[in-house]
Amino acid sequence: NISAPHPLVVVVGVPGSGAADVASAVADATLARAMHAPSRLLPPATAADAAAWRRLLDSWIGPLEAAEWRDDPHGTIADFWLGAIPTLAAADLPAAEVERLAADVERAAARTRCPQVAILLYAEAATLEERVLAAPATSSADVRCSRKGIPRDPEHSPIVPGGRSRRREATTIERPPEPRSRDRIAALLRMQDGLCRALSCPGERS
């Protein structure tokens, strides 16, 4: 019900669909509060870890806690939805783990704000492929710097002792999608179909 006072609207989409950008744009256009996911969706390397999905769920619950919720006169536009987590995890977790995760989401729904409106961003395969291939790879050095809070130089290469940095020339190489990229795109399309089915089901949204 979009006419509800202080509505919560969620913009839902798989990685590469642009949910964060769309949520920000809608919030700007309506003078609403933009609320972004405190933790990003899991990368492929950790998507098969059920504990990692539960940690993600816990981080998403925090901003939606009903006891701490602050109404905004123009509503809130969020780029994450608790109900999406089991559907997205289903691509990488066994069915039993997905069921347990879905039960955790149901319990969380009792103490969090549920959205009045959900907007599903449906991306074509070509769009996801372009964005997956365009996403920069994260090196082990990037991860270490990110975890330690070490600043990056303008060339995005690690800062080394003495204030000097290792600089590399930027090189653009066009190449066809690798098998792993094609597999990931296929998984994203399955997730997207799952989100569509989940949002088509009647009943309260978590």
Side-chain angles (χ1 to χ4, degrees), residues 19-41:
D21 291 339
V22 171
S24 293
V26 173
D28 287 344
T30 59
L31 303 180
R33 170 179 55 183
M35 180 178 288
H36 295 292
S39 300
R40 293 183 179 181
L41 288 170

Side-chain angles (χ1 to χ4, degrees), residues 36-62:
H36 295 292
S39 300
R40 293 183 179 181
L41 288 170
L42 302 183
T46 57
D49 182 356
W53 283 103
R54 288 189 175 83
R55 288 192 296 270
L56 177 69
L57 173 60
D58 289 341
S59 74
W60 283 15
I61 288 172

Side-chain angles (χ1 to χ4, degrees), residues 3-197:
S3 63
H6 319 296
L8 170 60
V9 177
V10 294
V11 180
V12 182
V14 299
S17 64
D21 291 339
V22 171
S24 293
V26 173
D28 287 344
T30 59
L31 303 180
R33 170 179 55 183
M35 180 178 288
H36 295 292
S39 300
R40 293 183 179 181
L41 288 170
L42 302 183
T46 57
D49 182 356
W53 283 103
R54 288 189 175 83
R55 288 192 296 270
L56 177 69
L57 173 60
D58 289 341
S59 74
W60 283 15
I61 288 172
L64 299 174
E65 287 274 10
E68 305 294 332
W69 184 261
R70 178 177 58 84
D71 282 332
D72 185 279
H74 298 97
T76 300
I77 313 296
D79 64 3
F80 62 105
W81 173 50
L82 299 186
I85 289 181
T87 297
L88 298 175
D92 298 286
L93 294 182
E97 290 289 356
V98 174
E99 290 179 5
R100 282 192 283 270
L101 195 57
D104 291 340
V105 169
E106 286 296 322
R107 284 190 290 271
R111 57 187 176 93
T112 56
R113 282 295 299 265
C114 293
Q116 280 75 39
V117 177
I119 301 172
L120 174 63
L121 301 183
Y122 201 92
E124 297 293 336
T127 300
L128 292 175
E129 180 176 307
E130 179 181 354
R131 291 175 179 174
V132 166
L133 292 177
T138 302
S139 69
S140 58
D142 291 334
V143 173
R144 288 195 298 273
C145 287
S146 175
R147 288 175 178 170
K148 295 179 180 179
I150 299 173
R152 311 286 297 179
D153 76 350
E155 298 294 328
H156 303 289
S157 57
I159 295 177
V160 298
R164 295 169 296 146
S165 62
R166 296 191 296 271
R167 296 179 180 271
R168 294 189 295 268
E169 293 294 330
T171 304
T172 301
I173 301 175
E174 294 185 0
R175 60 185 185 276
E178 297 179 357
R180 288 186 180 180
S181 296
R182 289 196 295 268
D183 291 345
R184 189 58 184 167
I185 292 163
L188 291 175
L189 291 172
R190 289 194 298 272
M191 291 178 187
Q192 190 167 248
D193 290 340
L195 287 175
C196 187
R197 289 192 297 273

